[in-house]
Amino acid sequence: METIIFSLLNGVIYGLLLFMLSSGLTLIFSMMGVLNFAHASFYMLGAYFAYTISGVSSFWLALIFAPILVGLIGAAVEKWGLRTVHANGHVAELLFTFGLAYIIDEIVKIVYGRNAVDYRVPELLDFPLFELFGAQYPAYRIFILFISVGMLIALWFILNRTRAGLIIQAALTHPHMVGSLGHNVPRIFMTVFGAGCALAGLAGVIGGNYLVTDPAMAVQMGPIVFVVVVVGGLGSLAGAFLAAMILGLLQTFAVAIDATFADIFGFLGLSQTSEVGSITIASLAPMLPFLMLVIVLMIRPRGLLGDREL
Amino acid sequence: MKLMKSAALAAAFGFVAMGASAETLKIGFIDPLSGPFGPSGDAAMKHWMYAAEQVNKAGGINGAEVEIIAYDNKVNPKESLIQFQKAIDRGVRIIAQGNGSSVASALIDAVDKHNKRNPGDEVIYLNFAAVDPSFTNDRCSFYHFRFDSHAEMKMNAVTDWIAARPEIKKVYVIGQDYSFGQANAKAADAMIKAKRPDIEIVGNELHPMGKVKDFTPYIQKIMQAEADAVITGNWGADMVLLIKAAIASGHEVPYLTFYGGSLGAATAIGKDGVGQLYQISEVNTNLETTPEQNALIDGYEAAYHDSYYYHRVFNAMTMLDEAAEKAGTNNVVEIAKQLEGATLDTGYGTITMRAEDHQILQPLFMSVFSDNVTRGVEGLPLGWTSGDADRIEADATAMPTSCKMERPE
């Protein structure tokens, strides 16, 4: 019972963090057709900016300004980088973001060093919120939960209940028509790219001290974010949400399960002492996202809720 | 213009040549300097640098100036072999490596291969931290010297500590999934069963190395198993994050670690870890010692603004120095012959490089994280301390070896 409740809590929080990261990516992809390889790098930038800002002022200012700063950088990248490359087609764009990811990586290493920085949870939130079955639950995790849910609601509201959202949704499917109606489509693209990057930055701000802030965080998060977007269905926000939740829960539950292959496939005659039988489910946790990616691509290439083929 | 250019070039070359001709003894330091284990390697490098500085101040080794050349291997065996080759090409004939038994395993092979193919141009390997027991047992090599007590020796001390506490009934073992973690898991299991058959090992978990960013699910598993004590061989980021998660979850049982002193751990746990975190190691800076040793610690901490941690690096450097002076040459095979069976009086007792397997025998200390210390770590008023009963004499740490050493003529 305790296992289930704790794994649910941790899984949901990790899932929400993943969703925050991938929502920007899936928005950008569905609107501009750009698979942004540098997306996880913006997540890293968010964490490092927050570290710097909270070092000189406070975490709360960082929470506001770091994502804005990341969003501005994202918008600038779109306006002066991507837009020029766009004329040369999607492959050029893909390569552009690929190179950008490396550049950001190296700049972070030069500025902040190769090792993890001491980006900490703010003192105000550094206390156990409640006790459950003898284990304390840190307040900061619940804070992450609230921020993520707040972002989720705000995103849904903007996209579905405002005029801006209406235009964005229209530009998703019919950019030429939207342009003909007198809307500035390049500006919409720039805003969406910037907003997507800001979301990644926000994930960095609250994820950087929850996990670790080091130059490897982009490289480690990058593949998982792509898994979320592909499994959810390219361009589908609801799909990304579903996929992020499934991934978050799957990974935490896998760690919590105390079983080996032999326990599950024992009926096939697999013994506890054999090479394969002694593999624990917990040790498979880091592999699960990619297993899921492969399986989804095989049996449902457009993803869980996607409406177009890859 | 052209003339000036070539003059400058010639001057530059002349300078390089001059630097090379002044006699130096190069030590190739191959360890992680980036990534999740970067802080561990970086701290070790600083200790080597400072040790070299001290030796050079006293006239070097047989008059030759010691130079530490650092190579970043990212705890990757393949990368380490590339760096090893680079070091060889630069004229390095003494390599130092410690963090990561996976790397050490590859390097031992590489050194043996090199020495077989290049008689008269051998390389020796000073291992200051890779503690997979096999390196001084079935895989022992004449050219490899281990300056840290291996995993079974440390585990022996840890399990003795547990065996002496009747209130401990359930033990959880967690470690990194590679040769060292696996060796540890096996040793813990066997030793606890032998010493206290009534203790139940409620979990023996291996997690992927350097990949886990949030250990909370693991901690919750340990808490549900109702463990009275946790044993871990984790180091680097895996140590820091494990302890961080344990503190955040309010898990208040003894954590018996090999590397609780990993850089960053003290900052991450703060006051909450006092009296709960233990470390088995060859030193803690609050031990009573000689004025010279205290001066060394002060000097190091002042020079690098970093905590004195790798005492064994200074042991290695001093033993290397003495062996070379005794051999009267910087030929590494002659040094190796002198290192065999060498002893050294340190500020914490006499240590011996056992001749039969090249394993150091040194006193070990079971230290506890405390807020009542004269010397803190990481700039905090917190540090490591131990009582008289927590000292394990060098002889008592010795374990039998299966090594059949092949020595050169």
Side-chain angles (χ1 to χ4, degrees):
Chain A
M1 188 61 205
E2 299 105 290
T3 319
I4 294 175
I5 290 180
F6 274 119
S7 300
L8 261 178
L9 260 174
N10 289 326
V12 165
I13 290 173
Y14 186 57
L16 282 170
L17 204 63
L18 274 184
F19 172 67
M20 199 185 293
L21 240 172
S22 36
S23 57
L25 186 65
T26 201
L27 263 184
I28 292 168
F29 179 79
S30 51
M31 174 165 279
M32 312 168 64
V34 180
L35 204 50
N36 183 8
F37 266 108
H39 199 72
S41 305
F42 288 104
Y43 159 73
M44 175 164 73
L45 279 184
Y48 273 101
F49 286 166
Y51 164 70
T52 306
I53 296 173
S54 61
V56 293
S57 57
S58 80
F59 171 80
W60 308 103
L61 287 178
L63 186 65
I64 298 166
F65 289 108
I68 293 177
L69 210 59
V70 175
L72 288 176
I73 292 178
V77 163
E78 202 281 333
K79 183 161 187 196
W80 287 294
L82 264 184
R83 203 176 291 178
T84 347
V85 181
H86 183 69
N88 301 323
H90 281 328
V91 176
E93 284 177 335
L94 205 69
L95 292 175
F96 173 82
T97 59
F98 199 68
L100 187 67
Y102 273 93
I103 292 172
I104 294 178
D105 249 36
E106 290 305 317
I107 290 177
V108 163
K109 277 183 200 162
I110 291 167
V111 175
Y112 290 97
R114 293 176 167 271
N115 292 321
V117 294
D118 185 27
Y119 173 34
R120 323 195 69 187
V121 171
E123 251 170 61
L124 192 62
L125 290 171
D126 197 8
F127 64 93
L129 190 66
F130 55 84
E131 198 165 295
L132 212 61
F133 307 110
Q136 291 168 355
Y137 209 79
Y140 190 70
R141 280 167 200 245
I142 300 300
F143 172 74
I144 294 180
L145 195 75
F146 276 114
I147 293 277
S148 315
V149 171
M151 184 230 60
L152 193 69
I153 294 171
L155 195 64
W156 179 85
F157 184 80
I158 290 174
L159 283 179
N160 291 310
R161 289 285 180 275
T162 64
R163 204 178 132 72
L166 212 67
I167 298 167
I168 289 173
Q169 293 223 15
L172 280 179
T173 45
H174 301 90
H176 293 295
M177 187 49 118
V178 174
S180 306
L181 288 172
H183 293 288
N184 186 347
V185 175
R187 206 179 68 196
I188 298 175
F189 278 9
M190 186 183 80
T191 318
V192 169
F193 197 91
C197 291
L199 282 179
L202 180 63
V205 175
I206 60 176
N209 48 6
Y210 165 65
L211 304 170
V212 186
T213 304
D214 66 4
M217 64 194 286
V219 181
Q220 280 168 348
M221 235 6 167
I224 297 181
V225 173
F226 276 103
V227 172
V228 171
V229 172
V230 173
V231 169
L234 282 166
S236 164
L237 265 182
F241 180 73
L242 195 65
M245 281 315 196
I246 293 175
L247 273 186
L249 290 172
L250 208 59
Q251 271 193 299
T252 25
F253 268 103
V255 170
I257 293 170
D258 228 342
T260 60
F261 268 25
D263 294 333
I264 299 171
F265 300 107
F267 62 91
L268 293 175
L270 198 60
S271 89
Q272 199 68 253
T273 48
S274 66
E275 282 280 314
V276 179
S278 60
I279 297 174
T280 60
I281 300 298
S283 69
L284 295 182
M287 193 190 79
L288 285 176
F290 305 101
L291 187 70
M292 198 165 140
L293 175 77
V294 172
I295 292 175
V296 165
L297 279 179
M298 275 192 320
I299 59 176
R300 198 182 159 82
R302 62 197 151 96
L304 295 176
L305 298 180
D307 47 11
R308 52 181 134 162
E309 298 271 323
L310 247 183
Chain B
M1 189 62 211
K2 204 172 173 192
L3 192 76
M4 229 169 80
K5 244 191 203 161
S6 37
L9 216 66
F13 271 112
F15 183 71
V16 171
M18 240 166 57
S21 67
E23 226 200 314
T24 59
L25 182 69
K26 293 177 186 144
I27 299 181
F29 172 85
I30 305 177
D31 231 32
L33 296 173
S34 62
F37 303 103
S40 302
D42 190 59
M45 181 183 75
K46 288 174 182 159
H47 285 76
W48 278 102
M49 299 271 201
Y50 194 73
E53 232 173 83
Q54 299 308 304
V55 169
N56 289 339
K57 252 188 225 159
I61 294 183
N62 282 327
E65 192 174 323
V66 180
E67 185 191 356
I68 306 288
I69 308 175
Y71 299 91
D72 181 9
N73 69 3
K74 305 178 176 94
V75 214
N76 178 335
K78 228 192 257 163
E79 183 71 28
S80 304
L81 295 182
I82 297 171
Q83 302 298 345
F84 172 71
Q85 201 51 50
K86 257 195 195 161
I88 299 293
D89 293 345
R90 256 185 98 169
V92 168
R93 290 299 173 266
I94 300 173
I95 59 164
Q97 184 274 344
N99 287 305
S101 287
S102 49
V103 167
S105 166
L107 280 180
I108 288 177
D109 281 344
V111 167
D112 279 346
K113 238 181 240 165
H114 172 92
N115 292 346
K116 227 174 252 167
R117 288 174 187 164
N118 302 282
D121 188 25
E122 284 85 353
V123 173
I124 59 169
Y125 174 9
L126 311 178
N127 167 2
F128 63 90
V131 295
D132 182 337
S134 70
F135 304 152
T136 48
N137 280 292
D138 52 319
R139 297 191 51 199
C140 68
S141 154
F142 173 75
Y143 301 99
H144 163 265
F145 294 88
R146 171 149 54 197
F147 289 89
D148 196 7
S149 311
H150 67 60
E152 281 175 13
M153 299 161 88
K154 292 188 182 191
M155 190 56 82
N156 199 20
V158 167
T159 45
D160 278 343
W161 188 91
I162 287 179
R165 279 161 183 76
E167 69 274 15
I168 296 179
K169 303 262 183 256
K170 289 175 176 177
V171 172
Y172 203 103
V173 187
I174 184 165
Q176 296 149 310
D177 197 1
Y178 76 113
S179 60
F180 161 60
Q182 288 154 5
N184 244 356
K186 230 166 73 191
D189 190 68
M191 287 176 181
I192 290 175
K193 278 185 184 141
K195 287 174 193 172
R196 278 276 304 277
D198 62 309
I199 288 185
E200 190 190 345
I201 297 172
V202 286
N204 203 336
E205 177 109 39
L206 293 170
H207 64 79
M209 182 186 181
K211 294 240 163 58
V212 182
K213 298 293 162 198
D214 178 14
F215 274 94
T216 313
Y218 290 97
I219 297 293
Q220 266 143 11
K221 218 163 143 183
I222 298 173
M223 292 174 87
Q224 276 146 38
E226 291 173 347
D228 300 319
V230 179
I231 301 177
T232 179
N234 278 16
W235 56 279
D238 286 335
M239 174 71 230
V240 177
L241 295 174
L242 176 75
I243 275 302
K244 195 171 149 187
I247 297 295
S249 300
H251 193 208
E252 283 167 6
V253 302
Y255 270 69
L256 302 157
T257 75
F258 284 18
Y259 305 110
S262 287
L263 194 69
T267 310
I269 56 183
K271 266 207 288 299
D272 298 330
V274 164
Q276 186 192 345
L277 188 60
Y278 291 83
Q279 173 178 240
I280 181 78
S281 62
E282 82 283 12
V283 74
N284 75 59
T285 47
N286 289 302
L287 286 169
E288 221 168 282
T289 182
T290 56
E292 292 83 31
Q293 175 62 26
N294 269 324
L296 178 74
I297 298 175
D298 286 335
Y300 175 79
E301 297 194 339
Y304 287 103
H305 307 288
D306 208 355
S307 307
Y308 184 91
Y309 174 69
Y310 287 99
H311 177 62
R312 45 194 187 265
V313 166
F314 292 93
N315 290 343
M317 186 62 95
T318 315
M319 287 183 102
L320 176 74
D321 186 14
E322 288 186 358
E325 307 265 341
K326 218 162 144 195
T329 164
N330 284 352
N331 176 306
V332 294
V333 178
E334 296 308 316
I335 293 178
K337 284 180 184 159
Q338 293 301 330
L339 267 177
E340 285 202 310
T343 60
L344 178 70
D345 290 318
T346 75
Y348 306 102
T350 304
I351 63 172
T352 312
M353 178 54 75
R354 187 158 71 176
E356 53 179 321
D357 60 349
H358 296 187
Q359 169 64 53
I360 200 85
L361 300 179
Q362 61 184 358
L364 286 174
F365 301 90
M366 182 62 108
S367 319
V368 63
F369 196 59
S370 159
D371 54 1
N372 180 22
V373 291
T374 43
R375 221 187 263 277
V377 291
E378 296 173 23
L380 302 165
L382 308 163
W384 299 90
T385 176
S386 63
D388 294 337
D390 302 321
R391 181 188 168 102
I392 301 138
E393 291 303 334
D395 295 340
T397 69
M399 297 197 104
T401 174
S402 62
C403 171
K404 290 189 190 71
M405 188 77 75
E406 280 175 38
R407 293 183 171 77
E409 301 300 301

